[in-house]
Amino acid sequence: MTQRLVVIGNGMAGARTVEEILARNGDFTITMFGDEPYGNYNRIMLSNLLAGVEDEAGIFLNDLSWYADNNITLHAGVRIEKIDRSNKIVIADDGTKTPYDKLIIATGSSSWTPPIKNIHNPKRGFHQGVFAFRTLDDTRGMIRYARDHERAVVIGGGLLGLEAARGLQNHVSEVTLLHAMGHLMERQLDERAGHMLQASVENKLGIEVVTNAMTTEILGKDRVTGVKLADGREIPCDVVVIAAGIRPNTQMVADSGLPVERGIVVDDQMRVQGQEDIYSVGECAQHRGNLYGLVAPLWDQAKVLADHITGRDVSAAYTGSKLSTKLKVAGIDVASMGLIAPENDDDEVIIYNEPKKGVYKQLIIRDGVLAGAILVGDNRKAANLIQAFDRAQALPEERAEMLFDIGAPAGEVAPADMPDDAQVCNCNGVSKGAICGVVNAGCKTVSGVMDKTRAGKGCGTCKPLVQRIVEWAAGGEAEEDPAASWYVPGVPMPKPELMAAIRKYELKSVSSVFEKLVPGGEHDAKSKMGLASLLKMMWADQYVDERDARFINDRVHGNIQKDGTFSVVPQMKGGVTTPAELKRIAEVAEKYQVPMVKLTGGQRIDLLGIPKEQLPAIWADLDIPSGYAYAKSFRTVKTCVGSDFCRFGVGDSTALGIAIEERYQGLEGPGKMKLAVTGCPRNCAEAYVKDLGVVAIDGGKWEIYVGGAAGAHIRKGDLLTTVDSAEEVIQLTGRFLQYYRENANWLERTYSFVPRIGIERIREIVVEDSDGIAAALDAAVEEAVQAYKDPWKERAVPATPGQFRTSLPLTVLPQVPVRA
Amino acid sequence: MILGPVSDIPFGEGRTYAVGGDMIAVFRLRDGSLRAVSAVCPHKGGPLADGQIDNKVVVCPLHLYAWDLATGCSQSGQPSINVYPVRADGDQIILGD
Ligand code: SRM
Ligand SMILES: Cc1cc2nc3c(=O)[nH]c(=O)nc-3n(C[C@H](O)[C@H](O)[C@H](O)COP(=O)(O)OP(=O)(O)OC[C@H]3O[C@@H](n4cnc5c(N)ncnc54)[C@H](O)[C@@H]3O)c2cc1C
Ligand code: SF4
Ligand code: FES
């Protein structure tokens, strides 16, 4: 049988509950009473209406036709005065009586007026010029009045007061915000965050804020001329807006004999305590002792109520809500959720505070889940935090990731949401569609797809996205690539086994490795360079050097350019040069008409665009050793001027950098090794972001950082240790580099290697010698140092026939021998 | 057509020869056999003779795409390269049949 449902209150909760009931096909004839003479509008948007960023038409949720379409009888502008429970009727202020089978009370709240002398006018409610901020009528009145006035005072420094103050700036020239407490938004923010917010509101918005301001009196006879504070101060103004809090509308309900404490007392089904047929929802309801002043909880309440009242799920229960808020003021980021201060001794509190920028972030973590968070000045992480808080999600081990986007690619996009032509690899221009095409053609391993498309083979930052797309295109999971653990793609062994086999069979050339260790003895072009590097490291001067195993750069000791020419970067240890050296470089550049002379990011001079056949002559004229700017090897040691010249220098970084470069020059490895030594923690040589960086600190000490990066990946190095002398730095540098050479994967830079092994473990091995291999590492690196030969000496006699013969006449005409 | 002595090309490497108006890269595999292909990479003009090879493919030194030395087919969706008949006659490289 169709029941009569009556709803008192046509606000956000009442209307939403009716929507939920309709969505469940509830069998009711519905009658709604609303004190306000409108359909249902979005109260939250009143702030935007006041601020002028939304118009009235934009804030209505359900217009009158919605009620008609759903057979809802709406009595707009009609107030219920009494609930007659024994007769099951509600009595309205127009005298009508409406019977109900089920009743929902959703009367919401009214704005609360603090006891201030002269605030009311017996004839017209508030004194002229004084407004509350709760309804559309309030807002309209405020806008109309403020238009021809100058100075506004807002009483109340919570969310609402701040939004009112900001909105009023749209209408008057001066706004002052008075707050009775010590800091703004004290319910959502701790003291420090509140002060930070105040500074932003004052400096960025130009709203004057007065805290600890008790307003005691409204001044002005016929209309407002100012307000008076408890300390006697008077603030002249012609508009006053009260945003000092809300009080639930419960008087009528209490008068009707229903249980009311701070709010209308409801159970977990949103039924009024002890009542079979009466429910309450929204700001007027008190559930488990809590009242809510935000909309999110009432959405949850509405669902439970609807489930219960329609019989869809009579055991549906509302168990309370976790609150999170955001301030809706453009340019002022504030978000808050849960606890604002720790409560237990073992609550984990994480604070980031940057007053100058007005940024403050606080997290409170309890039992591994987020129990509270405050963000001021930077809301970028708010969505993630609210989600983590709401769902009690597991938190990242690296807590800082919750506060900042650290070196990670911007927000994770879902492959499904990406258009086919979205560029995934920005180095090699590979689209999502191209990746999917390869997967659909049957290649379902990440490395296979990377090989086929070259996606992820540039700077490497897109690799995680490539992986996700392959997984998605393969229908969930990518196939395991057995080769993923191999050192090089053509020899089926991880590095330790490969090295053991090489040692066991004494394999000293790349072709012997293929012939002995690859089933079928097949050679693989893409494995040659990695094997050459490994064998050179393992055998030093016993290595049998097959030139074809080298990449072109290492065959001719220059970096190949886009047009097939090469670059020449002479060694310039520690970035220090001499006038004589500069003259020689200048003369060479002139003599060979070098297309470009450039200072590099590695503190030396690059001569670019040299044809291959000119390389030997240029080296001879330069007569400077190679700077190895082309190899997977020890590159440069950047230095700063240090204690010799700099007024802050506390260590001779220049001398130490030169000494390190002198000793370890040319050392080949699985990846590039770039170092720096800097004379004090101001870090002008960028030592914190180097494969190995040395920082002089006061007291004659040196800090050694490893695993830093500032290329395609950004990472601050981990502090390996602090030592007392330059000699120790040199020794530990060699030991660390040797450990890296022996254990890193091919092309694995230290920024991946160090976190993979773990800095503690590396420290144990390299500094504390817990494995007892320090002496062996030192000896191995010493052997490599002794085997060093300047490759640019290889110029008088070519190492192979036609070593420097041009391979393409890209800019000049053929100079290759033509024998017909 | 004789291009020159085989010993001009080290094992496992390639050298470029200008033949008429064409540039041809000739490789001497580690098993001793020869391969000849167009010298210019169809991707962005890289010098294929400077690339690394095994007994099957050449890898361009610029962006590391690979082509089959026998068929000229790309292994990664690039246009194919020309292949030319080439052999050693005694000590000489002979281009053509
Ligand atoms: C010349 C120089 C740019 C310049 O004009 O300043 C340069 C040029 C090249 N860099 Fe670099 N890098 C140069 C300093 C850097 C630096 C800064 C530094 O060394 O202090 C970095 C960041 C530090 C680092 O290494 O991470 C840097 C990070 C890279 C990367 C990214 C490596 C990574 O894993 O993050 C690559 C790509 C790679 O290694 O695969 C790269 C690769 C290249 C190559 C070799 C690309 C290539 O394979 O052909 C460029 C050669 C251009 C050419 O035609 O000669 N270059 N490159 C710099 C030479 C410095 C020197 O004197 O040796
Ligand atoms: C300016 C402003 C900005 C806000 N911003 C946010 C925000 O950003 N985020 C957020 O979560 N919340 C915000 N809120 C709070 C949010 O609007 C309220 O939590 C929400 O409106 C509560 O819904 P309700 O239905 O319980 O009460 P209301 O929306 O107030 O609805 C109650 C309705 O019942 C009527 N009524 C009362 N008594 C009777 C009676 N006896 N007979 C008939 N009708 C009656 C009232 O006139 C009113 O229309 C904001 C509030 C304001 C004023
Ligand atoms: S020099 Fe470095 S950053 Fe510049 S284009 Fe080349 S690789 Fe990229
Ligand atoms: S030019 Fe040869 S791969 Fe790009």
Side-chain angles (χ1 to χ4, degrees), chain A residues 452 454 522 525 528 548-550 612 801-802 805 807 809 819, chain B residues 2 12 15-16 23 30 50 52-54 56 63 65 76:
Chain A
K452 286 217 156 61
R454 305 218 47 77
E522 200 165 330
K528 287 177 159 186
D548 66 301
R550 299 185 181 201
K612 202 202 264 175
R805 216 170 83 188
S807 280
R819 281 162 250 197
Chain B
I2 299 172
R15 294 287 181 262
T16 303
M23 304 299 299
R30 278 215 156 255
D50 281 345
Q52 285 189 285
I53 61 163
D54 51 32
K56 287 203 174 106
H63 310 100
Y65 288 110
S76 40

PDB file of all heavy atoms in Angstrom, chain A residues 452 454 522 525 528 548-550 612 801-802 805 807 809 819, chain B residues 2 12 15-16 23 30 50 52-54 56 63 65 76:
ATOM      1  N   LYS A 452      61.088  -3.434 -29.648  1.00  0.00           N
ATOM      2  CA  LYS A 452      60.438  -3.283 -30.950  1.00  0.00           C
ATOM      3  C   LYS A 452      60.070  -1.840 -31.253  1.00  0.00           C
ATOM      4  O   LYS A 452      60.086  -1.423 -32.394  1.00  0.00           O
ATOM      5  CB  LYS A 452      59.184  -4.168 -31.005  1.00  0.00           C
ATOM      6  CG  LYS A 452      59.511  -5.648 -31.144  1.00  0.00           C
ATOM      7  CD  LYS A 452      58.479  -6.319 -32.054  1.00  0.00           C
ATOM      8  CE  LYS A 452      59.033  -7.576 -32.695  1.00  0.00           C
ATOM      9  NZ  LYS A 452      59.427  -8.602 -31.714  1.00  0.00           N
ATOM     10  N   ARG A 454      61.185   0.938 -29.281  1.00  0.00           N
ATOM     11  CA  ARG A 454      62.158   1.832 -28.671  1.00  0.00           C
ATOM     12  C   ARG A 454      61.532   2.727 -27.613  1.00  0.00           C
ATOM     13  O   ARG A 454      62.161   3.650 -27.110  1.00  0.00           O
ATOM     14  CB  ARG A 454      62.915   2.666 -29.711  1.00  0.00           C
ATOM     15  CG  ARG A 454      63.591   1.811 -30.768  1.00  0.00           C
ATOM     16  CD  ARG A 454      64.940   2.310 -31.219  1.00  0.00           C
ATOM     17  NE  ARG A 454      65.830   2.675 -30.114  1.00  0.00           N
ATOM     18  CZ  ARG A 454      66.483   1.792 -29.367  1.00  0.00           C
ATOM     19  NH1 ARG A 454      66.357   0.509 -29.579  1.00  0.00           N
ATOM     20  NH2 ARG A 454      67.269   2.210 -28.415  1.00  0.00           N
ATOM     21  N   GLU A 522      75.685 -18.262 -30.632  1.00  0.00           N
ATOM     22  CA  GLU A 522      75.275 -17.130 -31.432  1.00  0.00           C
ATOM     23  C   GLU A 522      75.760 -15.799 -30.871  1.00  0.00           C
ATOM     24  O   GLU A 522      75.633 -15.532 -29.671  1.00  0.00           O
ATOM     25  CB  GLU A 522      73.750 -17.120 -31.533  1.00  0.00           C
ATOM     26  CG  GLU A 522      73.279 -16.302 -32.698  1.00  0.00           C
ATOM     27  CD  GLU A 522      71.816 -16.585 -33.006  1.00  0.00           C
ATOM     28  OE1 GLU A 522      71.359 -17.723 -32.748  1.00  0.00           O
ATOM     29  OE2 GLU A 522      71.152 -15.676 -33.489  1.00  0.00           O
ATOM     30  N   ALA A 525      74.689  -8.523 -31.454  1.00  0.00           N
ATOM     31  CA  ALA A 525      75.224  -7.172 -31.592  1.00  0.00           C
ATOM     32  C   ALA A 525      74.919  -6.307 -30.376  1.00  0.00           C
ATOM     33  O   ALA A 525      75.752  -5.527 -29.925  1.00  0.00           O
ATOM     34  CB  ALA A 525      74.660  -6.523 -32.856  1.00  0.00           C
ATOM     35  N   LYS A 528      77.283  -6.709 -27.233  1.00  0.00           N
ATOM     36  CA  LYS A 528      78.737  -6.587 -27.316  1.00  0.00           C
ATOM     37  C   LYS A 528      79.311  -5.504 -26.410  1.00  0.00           C
ATOM     38  O   LYS A 528      80.309  -5.708 -25.729  1.00  0.00           O
ATOM     39  CB  LYS A 528      79.127  -6.291 -28.775  1.00  0.00           C
ATOM     40  CG  LYS A 528      78.991  -7.495 -29.704  1.00  0.00           C
ATOM     41  CD  LYS A 528      79.321  -7.049 -31.116  1.00  0.00           C
ATOM     42  CE  LYS A 528      79.720  -8.212 -32.012  1.00  0.00           C
ATOM     43  NZ  LYS A 528      80.154  -7.721 -33.320  1.00  0.00           N
ATOM     44  N   ASP A 548      85.544  -4.662 -32.757  1.00  0.00           N
ATOM     45  CA  ASP A 548      84.153  -4.640 -33.197  1.00  0.00           C
ATOM     46  C   ASP A 548      83.184  -4.763 -32.025  1.00  0.00           C
ATOM     47  O   ASP A 548      82.005  -4.510 -32.173  1.00  0.00           O
ATOM     48  CB  ASP A 548      83.895  -5.773 -34.194  1.00  0.00           C
ATOM     49  CG  ASP A 548      84.033  -7.132 -33.532  1.00  0.00           C
ATOM     50  OD1 ASP A 548      85.122  -7.434 -33.005  1.00  0.00           O
ATOM     51  OD2 ASP A 548      83.040  -7.886 -33.518  1.00  0.00           O
ATOM     52  N   ALA A 549      83.699  -5.174 -30.869  1.00  0.00           N
ATOM     53  CA  ALA A 549      82.833  -5.257 -29.694  1.00  0.00           C
ATOM     54  C   ALA A 549      82.524  -3.863 -29.157  1.00  0.00           C
ATOM     55  O   ALA A 549      81.611  -3.677 -28.380  1.00  0.00           O
ATOM     56  CB  ALA A 549      83.499  -6.099 -28.602  1.00  0.00           C
ATOM     57  N   ARG A 550      83.325  -2.904 -29.585  1.00  0.00           N
ATOM     58  CA  ARG A 550      83.130  -1.541 -29.076  1.00  0.00           C
ATOM     59  C   ARG A 550      82.042  -0.819 -29.860  1.00  0.00           C
ATOM     60  O   ARG A 550      81.923  -0.982 -31.076  1.00  0.00           O
ATOM     61  CB  ARG A 550      84.417  -0.731 -29.242  1.00  0.00           C
ATOM     62  CG  ARG A 550      85.600  -1.281 -28.503  1.00  0.00           C
ATOM     63  CD  ARG A 550      86.726  -0.292 -28.692  1.00  0.00           C
ATOM     64  NE  ARG A 550      87.956  -0.729 -28.026  1.00  0.00           N
ATOM     65  CZ  ARG A 550      88.926   0.118 -27.703  1.00  0.00           C
ATOM     66  NH1 ARG A 550      88.810   1.407 -28.001  1.00  0.00           N
ATOM     67  NH2 ARG A 550      90.009  -0.316 -27.110  1.00  0.00           N
ATOM     68  N   LYS A 612      85.197  12.441 -38.717  1.00  0.00           N
ATOM     69  CA  LYS A 612      85.969  11.324 -38.142  1.00  0.00           C
ATOM     70  C   LYS A 612      87.434  11.353 -38.567  1.00  0.00           C
ATOM     71  O   LYS A 612      88.334  11.179 -37.745  1.00  0.00           O
ATOM     72  CB  LYS A 612      85.328  10.011 -38.603  1.00  0.00           C
ATOM     73  CG  LYS A 612      85.630   8.804 -37.726  1.00  0.00           C
ATOM     74  CD  LYS A 612      85.443   7.519 -38.509  1.00  0.00           C
ATOM     75  CE  LYS A 612      84.122   6.858 -38.339  1.00  0.00           C
ATOM     76  NZ  LYS A 612      83.941   5.674 -39.196  1.00  0.00           N
ATOM     77  N   PRO A 801      92.509  -1.073 -39.674  1.00  0.00           N
ATOM     78  CA  PRO A 801      92.502  -0.425 -40.989  1.00  0.00           C
ATOM     79  C   PRO A 801      91.263   0.454 -41.116  1.00  0.00           C
ATOM     80  O   PRO A 801      90.174   0.032 -40.745  1.00  0.00           O
ATOM     81  CB  PRO A 801      92.425  -1.587 -41.980  1.00  0.00           C
ATOM     82  CG  PRO A 801      92.588  -2.844 -41.198  1.00  0.00           C
ATOM     83  CD  PRO A 801      92.496  -2.537 -39.755  1.00  0.00           C
ATOM     84  N   GLY A 802      91.443   1.640 -41.589  1.00  0.00           N
ATOM     85  CA  GLY A 802      90.290   2.526 -41.821  1.00  0.00           C
ATOM     86  C   GLY A 802      89.568   2.941 -40.562  1.00  0.00           C
ATOM     87  O   GLY A 802      88.392   3.277 -40.605  1.00  0.00           O
ATOM     88  N   ARG A 805      88.291   6.251 -41.171  1.00  0.00           N
ATOM     89  CA  ARG A 805      87.734   6.533 -42.475  1.00  0.00           C
ATOM     90  C   ARG A 805      86.287   6.955 -42.318  1.00  0.00           C
ATOM     91  O   ARG A 805      85.555   6.416 -41.490  1.00  0.00           O
ATOM     92  CB  ARG A 805      87.796   5.256 -43.318  1.00  0.00           C
ATOM     93  CG  ARG A 805      88.097   5.515 -44.775  1.00  0.00           C
ATOM     94  CD  ARG A 805      88.384   4.212 -45.462  1.00  0.00           C
ATOM     95  NE  ARG A 805      87.143   3.549 -45.846  1.00  0.00           N
ATOM     96  CZ  ARG A 805      87.110   2.318 -46.337  1.00  0.00           C
ATOM     97  NH1 ARG A 805      88.226   1.603 -46.452  1.00  0.00           N
ATOM     98  NH2 ARG A 805      85.964   1.793 -46.699  1.00  0.00           N
ATOM     99  N   SER A 807      82.403   7.252 -42.638  1.00  0.00           N
ATOM    100  CA  SER A 807      81.393   6.246 -42.927  1.00  0.00           C
ATOM    101  C   SER A 807      80.262   6.803 -43.742  1.00  0.00           C
ATOM    102  O   SER A 807      79.478   6.092 -44.317  1.00  0.00           O
ATOM    103  CB  SER A 807      80.843   5.668 -41.630  1.00  0.00           C
ATOM    104  OG  SER A 807      81.746   4.718 -41.154  1.00  0.00           O
ATOM    105  N   PRO A 809      79.381  10.438 -46.182  1.00  0.00           N
ATOM    106  CA  PRO A 809      79.671  11.801 -46.589  1.00  0.00           C
ATOM    107  C   PRO A 809      78.442  12.656 -46.338  1.00  0.00           C
ATOM    108  O   PRO A 809      77.712  12.994 -47.249  1.00  0.00           O
ATOM    109  CB  PRO A 809      79.928  11.655 -48.087  1.00  0.00           C
ATOM    110  CG  PRO A 809      79.111  10.470 -48.486  1.00  0.00           C
ATOM    111  CD  PRO A 809      78.923   9.610 -47.280  1.00  0.00           C
ATOM    112  N   ARG A 819      87.457   2.314 -56.020  1.00  0.00           N
ATOM    113  CA  ARG A 819      88.281   1.508 -56.943  1.00  0.00           C
ATOM    114  C   ARG A 819      87.368   0.745 -57.864  1.00  0.00           C
ATOM    115  O   ARG A 819      86.697  -0.180 -57.434  1.00  0.00           O
ATOM    116  CB  ARG A 819      89.166   0.543 -56.144  1.00  0.00           C
ATOM    117  CG  ARG A 819      90.391   1.231 -55.570  1.00  0.00           C
ATOM    118  CD  ARG A 819      90.995   0.418 -54.466  1.00  0.00           C
ATOM    119  NE  ARG A 819      90.785   1.105 -53.180  1.00  0.00           N
ATOM    120  CZ  ARG A 819      91.469   0.805 -52.096  1.00  0.00           C
ATOM    121  NH1 ARG A 819      92.355  -0.172 -52.102  1.00  0.00           N
ATOM    122  NH2 ARG A 819      91.254   1.471 -50.985  1.00  0.00           N
TER     123      ARG A 819
ATOM    124  N   ILE B   2      85.275  -4.581 -58.128  1.00  0.00           N
ATOM    125  CA  ILE B   2      86.179  -4.812 -57.002  1.00  0.00           C
ATOM    126  C   ILE B   2      86.202  -3.570 -56.107  1.00  0.00           C
ATOM    127  O   ILE B   2      86.458  -2.462 -56.584  1.00  0.00           O
ATOM    128  CB  ILE B   2      87.612  -5.093 -57.492  1.00  0.00           C
ATOM    129  CG1 ILE B   2      87.619  -6.362 -58.372  1.00  0.00           C
ATOM    130  CG2 ILE B   2      88.565  -5.282 -56.303  1.00  0.00           C
ATOM    131  CD1 ILE B   2      88.960  -6.595 -59.043  1.00  0.00           C
ATOM    132  N   GLY B  12      84.076  -8.152 -38.000  1.00  0.00           N
ATOM    133  CA  GLY B  12      82.983  -7.642 -37.173  1.00  0.00           C
ATOM    134  C   GLY B  12      82.683  -6.171 -37.377  1.00  0.00           C
ATOM    135  O   GLY B  12      81.844  -5.608 -36.686  1.00  0.00           O
ATOM    136  N   ARG B  15      82.696  -0.879 -43.432  1.00  0.00           N
ATOM    137  CA  ARG B  15      83.293   0.323 -44.016  1.00  0.00           C
ATOM    138  C   ARG B  15      82.400   0.768 -45.160  1.00  0.00           C
ATOM    139  O   ARG B  15      81.744  -0.052 -45.810  1.00  0.00           O
ATOM    140  CB  ARG B  15      84.701   0.032 -44.557  1.00  0.00           C
ATOM    141  CG  ARG B  15      85.724  -0.334 -43.470  1.00  0.00           C
ATOM    142  CD  ARG B  15      86.128   0.890 -42.645  1.00  0.00           C
ATOM    143  NE  ARG B  15      87.125   0.546 -41.624  1.00  0.00           N
ATOM    144  CZ  ARG B  15      86.862   0.306 -40.346  1.00  0.00           C
ATOM    145  NH1 ARG B  15      85.607   0.332 -39.902  1.00  0.00           N
ATOM    146  NH2 ARG B  15      87.820   0.024 -39.503  1.00  0.00           N
ATOM    147  N   THR B  16      82.417   2.041 -45.422  1.00  0.00           N
ATOM    148  CA  THR B  16      81.568   2.560 -46.490  1.00  0.00           C
ATOM    149  C   THR B  16      82.351   2.699 -47.794  1.00  0.00           C
ATOM    150  O   THR B  16      83.525   3.103 -47.774  1.00  0.00           O
ATOM    151  CB  THR B  16      81.023   3.947 -46.100  1.00  0.00           C
ATOM    152  OG1 THR B  16      80.321   3.838 -44.884  1.00  0.00           O
ATOM    153  CG2 THR B  16      80.057   4.465 -47.164  1.00  0.00           C
ATOM    154  N   MET B  23      76.090   5.020 -51.867  1.00  0.00           N
ATOM    155  CA  MET B  23      76.980   4.746 -50.743  1.00  0.00           C
ATOM    156  C   MET B  23      76.603   3.362 -50.223  1.00  0.00           C
ATOM    157  O   MET B  23      75.442   3.110 -49.895  1.00  0.00           O
ATOM    158  CB  MET B  23      76.772   5.772 -49.628  1.00  0.00           C
ATOM    159  CG  MET B  23      76.944   7.229 -50.073  1.00  0.00           C
ATOM    160  SD  MET B  23      78.605   7.570 -50.685  1.00  0.00           S
ATOM    161  CE  MET B  23      79.565   7.203 -49.243  1.00  0.00           C
ATOM    162  N   ARG B  30      82.125 -11.938 -38.349  1.00  0.00           N
ATOM    163  CA  ARG B  30      83.177 -12.660 -37.632  1.00  0.00           C
ATOM    164  C   ARG B  30      83.410 -14.057 -38.220  1.00  0.00           C
ATOM    165  O   ARG B  30      84.474 -14.642 -38.007  1.00  0.00           O
ATOM    166  CB  ARG B  30      82.840 -12.759 -36.149  1.00  0.00           C
ATOM    167  CG  ARG B  30      83.220 -11.486 -35.416  1.00  0.00           C
ATOM    168  CD  ARG B  30      83.714 -11.735 -34.009  1.00  0.00           C
ATOM    169  NE  ARG B  30      84.552 -10.603 -33.640  1.00  0.00           N
ATOM    170  CZ  ARG B  30      85.879 -10.646 -33.592  1.00  0.00           C
ATOM    171  NH1 ARG B  30      86.518 -11.780 -33.839  1.00  0.00           N
ATOM    172  NH2 ARG B  30      86.567  -9.578 -33.289  1.00  0.00           N
ATOM    173  N   ASP B  50      79.125   2.490 -39.238  1.00  0.00           N
ATOM    174  CA  ASP B  50      79.621   2.692 -37.877  1.00  0.00           C
ATOM    175  C   ASP B  50      78.818   1.906 -36.847  1.00  0.00           C
ATOM    176  O   ASP B  50      79.053   2.012 -35.642  1.00  0.00           O
ATOM    177  CB  ASP B  50      79.577   4.190 -37.518  1.00  0.00           C
ATOM    178  CG  ASP B  50      80.763   4.952 -38.120  1.00  0.00           C
ATOM    179  OD1 ASP B  50      81.724   4.295 -38.549  1.00  0.00           O
ATOM    180  OD2 ASP B  50      80.709   6.203 -38.153  1.00  0.00           O
ATOM    181  N   GLN B  52      77.088  -1.521 -34.924  1.00  0.00           N
ATOM    182  CA  GLN B  52      77.604  -2.807 -34.456  1.00  0.00           C
ATOM    183  C   GLN B  52      76.820  -3.922 -35.131  1.00  0.00           C
ATOM    184  O   GLN B  52      75.622  -3.790 -35.389  1.00  0.00           O
ATOM    185  CB  GLN B  52      77.494  -2.903 -32.943  1.00  0.00           C
ATOM    186  CG  GLN B  52      78.567  -2.058 -32.250  1.00  0.00           C
ATOM    187  CD  GLN B  52      78.620  -2.318 -30.759  1.00  0.00           C
ATOM    188  OE1 GLN B  52      77.771  -1.868 -30.022  1.00  0.00           O
ATOM    189  NE2 GLN B  52      79.632  -3.051 -30.324  1.00  0.00           N
ATOM    190  N   ILE B  53      77.492  -5.028 -35.392  1.00  0.00           N
ATOM    191  CA  ILE B  53      76.829  -6.148 -36.065  1.00  0.00           C
ATOM    192  C   ILE B  53      77.047  -7.456 -35.316  1.00  0.00           C
ATOM    193  O   ILE B  53      77.925  -7.559 -34.446  1.00  0.00           O
ATOM    194  CB  ILE B  53      77.368  -6.346 -37.506  1.00  0.00           C
ATOM    195  CG1 ILE B  53      78.878  -6.661 -37.453  1.00  0.00           C
ATOM    196  CG2 ILE B  53      77.095  -5.129 -38.370  1.00  0.00           C
ATOM    197  CD1 ILE B  53      79.398  -7.257 -38.754  1.00  0.00           C
ATOM    198  N   ASP B  54      76.220  -8.436 -35.634  1.00  0.00           N
ATOM    199  CA  ASP B  54      76.541  -9.819 -35.302  1.00  0.00           C
ATOM    200  C   ASP B  54      76.400 -10.577 -36.618  1.00  0.00           C
ATOM    201  O   ASP B  54      76.516  -9.967 -37.681  1.00  0.00           O
ATOM    202  CB  ASP B  54      75.646 -10.358 -34.162  1.00  0.00           C
ATOM    203  CG  ASP B  54      74.169 -10.131 -34.415  1.00  0.00           C
ATOM    204  OD1 ASP B  54      73.758 -10.140 -35.594  1.00  0.00           O
ATOM    205  OD2 ASP B  54      73.420  -9.959 -33.430  1.00  0.00           O
ATOM    206  N   LYS B  56      73.837 -11.645 -37.940  1.00  0.00           N
ATOM    207  CA  LYS B  56      72.531 -11.450 -38.561  1.00  0.00           C
ATOM    208  C   LYS B  56      72.189  -9.997 -38.850  1.00  0.00           C
ATOM    209  O   LYS B  56      71.687  -9.680 -39.905  1.00  0.00           O
ATOM    210  CB  LYS B  56      71.436 -11.993 -37.627  1.00  0.00           C
ATOM    211  CG  LYS B  56      71.382 -13.504 -37.563  1.00  0.00           C
ATOM    212  CD  LYS B  56      69.988 -13.953 -37.126  1.00  0.00           C
ATOM    213  CE  LYS B  56      69.840 -15.450 -37.174  1.00  0.00           C
ATOM    214  NZ  LYS B  56      69.838 -16.029 -35.817  1.00  0.00           N
ATOM    215  N   HIS B  63      70.282   5.667 -33.329  1.00  0.00           N
ATOM    216  CA  HIS B  63      69.135   5.417 -32.446  1.00  0.00           C
ATOM    217  C   HIS B  63      68.904   3.936 -32.196  1.00  0.00           C
ATOM    218  O   HIS B  63      67.857   3.546 -31.688  1.00  0.00           O
ATOM    219  CB  HIS B  63      67.878   6.070 -33.026  1.00  0.00           C
ATOM    220  CG  HIS B  63      68.103   7.510 -33.404  1.00  0.00           C
ATOM    221  ND1 HIS B  63      68.332   7.900 -34.693  1.00  0.00           N
ATOM    222  CD2 HIS B  63      68.213   8.632 -32.650  1.00  0.00           C
ATOM    223  CE1 HIS B  63      68.557   9.218 -34.735  1.00  0.00           C
ATOM    224  NE2 HIS B  63      68.496   9.684 -33.505  1.00  0.00           N
ATOM    225  N   TYR B  65      68.211   1.305 -33.982  1.00  0.00           N
ATOM    226  CA  TYR B  65      67.311   0.402 -34.688  1.00  0.00           C
ATOM    227  C   TYR B  65      68.160  -0.651 -35.421  1.00  0.00           C
ATOM    228  O   TYR B  65      69.305  -0.391 -35.765  1.00  0.00           O
ATOM    229  CB  TYR B  65      66.453   1.159 -35.702  1.00  0.00           C
ATOM    230  CG  TYR B  65      65.381   2.028 -35.069  1.00  0.00           C
ATOM    231  CD1 TYR B  65      65.471   3.415 -35.104  1.00  0.00           C
ATOM    232  CD2 TYR B  65      64.273   1.448 -34.452  1.00  0.00           C
ATOM    233  CE1 TYR B  65      64.478   4.209 -34.533  1.00  0.00           C
ATOM    234  CE2 TYR B  65      63.286   2.235 -33.877  1.00  0.00           C
ATOM    235  CZ  TYR B  65      63.397   3.614 -33.922  1.00  0.00           C
ATOM    236  OH  TYR B  65      62.419   4.389 -33.361  1.00  0.00           O
ATOM    237  N   SER B  76      62.120  -3.427 -36.461  1.00  0.00           N
ATOM    238  CA  SER B  76      61.306  -2.565 -35.613  1.00  0.00           C
ATOM    239  C   SER B  76      60.432  -1.627 -36.431  1.00  0.00           C
ATOM    240  O   SER B  76      60.222  -0.485 -36.064  1.00  0.00           O
ATOM    241  CB  SER B  76      62.230  -1.774 -34.682  1.00  0.00           C
ATOM    242  OG  SER B  76      63.374  -1.356 -35.403  1.00  0.00           O
TER     243      SER B  76
END
